[in-house]
Amino acid sequence: MRSRVEELRELRDRVLAGPGDKATAAQHARGKLTVRERLELLFDKGTFVETEALRRHRATGFGLEDRRPHTDGVVTGWGEVDGRTVFVYAHDFRIFGGALGEAHAQKIHKIMDLALAAGAPVVGLCDGAGARIQEGVTALAGYGGIFQRNVRGSGVIPQISVIMGPCAGGAAYSPALTDFVFMVRGTSQMFITGPDVVQAVTGEQIGHDALGGADVHARTSGVAAFAYDDEESCLEDVRHLLAYLPANNRELPPAEPVHDPVDRRCEALADLVPADPQRAYDMRHVIAEIADDGEYFEVHELWAANVVCALARLGGQTVGFVANQPLVTAGVLDIEASEKAARFVQFCDAFNIPLVTLVDVPGFLPGVDQEHGGVIRHGAKLLYAYCNATVPRVQVILRKAYGGAYIVMDSRSIGCDVSLAWPTNEIAVMGAEGAANVVFRREIAASPDPEETRRARIEEYRRELMHPYYAAERGLVDDVIDPADTRTELIRALDMLRHKHAQLPGRKHGNQPQ
């Protein structure tokens, strides 16, 4: 028995060592960590438990029968992140370039099934060259099994993809099906067809990073929610994100001890937000002033920056902030901002995270490109997401709230639970200038002094229909509050709504706008 145990120990040591120093040096030369080094950064020290470390493929042909390394190029298992169970699969680029074959896929299928059964998040550390060509259609079928499990787990357990190398072809669809995608600059790329194919088909010449690098997907396509300069900071933020999330859709997010007084007055808000609706400011400073200890975790910071989506805590409880950003295109809603916010609202609703919506929006972005690009159906995605959400929902109107954009930003009319407003709020079909030009255009045109008449009618419209208490008088706003009390009022409202129970009509699923 002792000799057998010693044989097992030696075998495990060889598995942990990987394919050799040369392969490890090559991985480091690419600016990438090895799979074991990544797992040490992701999990609490000494908590990782590996599954199927001794798995080997059984494929033959093209020399595969002579190359049967243990793990088959993917490490799977579970461990703890801040003491909470998290499952993982991580490609080992040193073995077959991390390419997926039958055994490789079956390991991923098994760990995803375990994560769903245990009700715990799953993280994929992606560093693979796609399907293993030598195994043909069985490799493609392996991807199909992963996609099916991504969809089955959607809205049930958090799913996070961390792109730490190539992720091309069909492999890119699994990260697209997960909740959040992290990427690392300079070493990770995602695309359906690589530069060579693009050039052959379209004649366009482009490099790997320019086609599908981290900044492309974080700024332009919106595929990546986060981009980092190195793997260490990337994995640190994966841990940070997990700290905000529940293990599954049957639990509430973890609460943290409250060191920031819940009744802290936010006096700085009066200086951060100008009363003049034409002046810009940074909405992120408002969120920082309201949130516990000034901390928040922004999602898709670089994409569709005219809306801010962030996770934070209020009174120790996780909340999701959705806020217009006056610093970027005056905070208007457009196609990309609508998609970004809708996706975030759906995620928060799926995982029992209350929503706080900070409104300062002049409307939807006008223009031919927006209309032809489908701003109607894309804007409807955000409307659908809010209307479908059953978590606690609190709206705060800071300044402008005009037209359809006011309705879409979780107004009382589409079901927000508590609507608050600052004394600088202006809720109307459109701005006073535009409204006066429409309503009084004949009078203005016939006036001997059109400009003076226009100024008088603008002031009249603002005085009659846009004063800060107009909506409150009609029950569309619950209260007009001192901005300094915003944090206290939000925490009170969310505490009241903590046990909110809302039930949607019985149905298989809705048919949301696409």
Side-chain angles (χ1 to χ4, degrees), residues 48-70:
F48 179 62
V49 179
E50 188 171 354
T51 63
E52 296 194 73
L54 305 181
R55 186 71 180 266
R56 303 166 79 186
H57 73 75
R58 55 188 178 183
T60 59
F62 304 101
L64 284 178
E65 63 272 15
D66 300 321
R67 298 178 61 202
R68 301 182 64 231
H70 292 101

Side-chain angles (χ1 to χ4, degrees), residues 265-276 279 281 285-286 289-290 398-399 422-424 481-486:
R265 283 178 58 81
C266 304
E267 299 288 356
L269 291 177
D271 299 316
L272 287 173
V273 181
D276 181 356
R279 290 181 57 193
Y281 62 94
H285 294 163
V286 175
E289 181 66 21
I290 295 170
L398 281 62
R399 297 193 311 184
W422 289 5
T424 46
I481 63 171
D482 180 345
D485 293 330
T486 303

Side-chain angles (χ1 to χ4, degrees), residues 468-493:
Y469 309 104
Y470 185 85
E473 290 170 0
R474 284 151 182 80
L476 297 175
V477 166
D478 291 294
D479 199 8
V480 179
I481 63 171
D482 180 345
D485 293 330
T486 303
R487 170 179 165 81
T488 302
E489 294 295 337
L490 284 173
I491 293 173
R492 284 176 177 169

Side-chain angles (χ1 to χ4, degrees), residues 346 376-385 510-514:
Q346 287 177 166
I376 294 172
R377 61 186 174 88
H378 290 288
K381 292 178 183 179
L382 180 54
L383 183 60
Y384 188 101
N511 186 21
Q512 66 185 50
Q514 296 297 325

Side-chain angles (χ1 to χ4, degrees), residues 349 387-391 393 417 499-507:
D349 185 51
C387 290
N388 206 45
T390 59
V391 292
R393 293 155 52 187
D417 299 296
H499 301 292
K500 173 186 174 181
H501 177 74
Q503 193 164 354
L504 295 172
R507 59 185 175 186

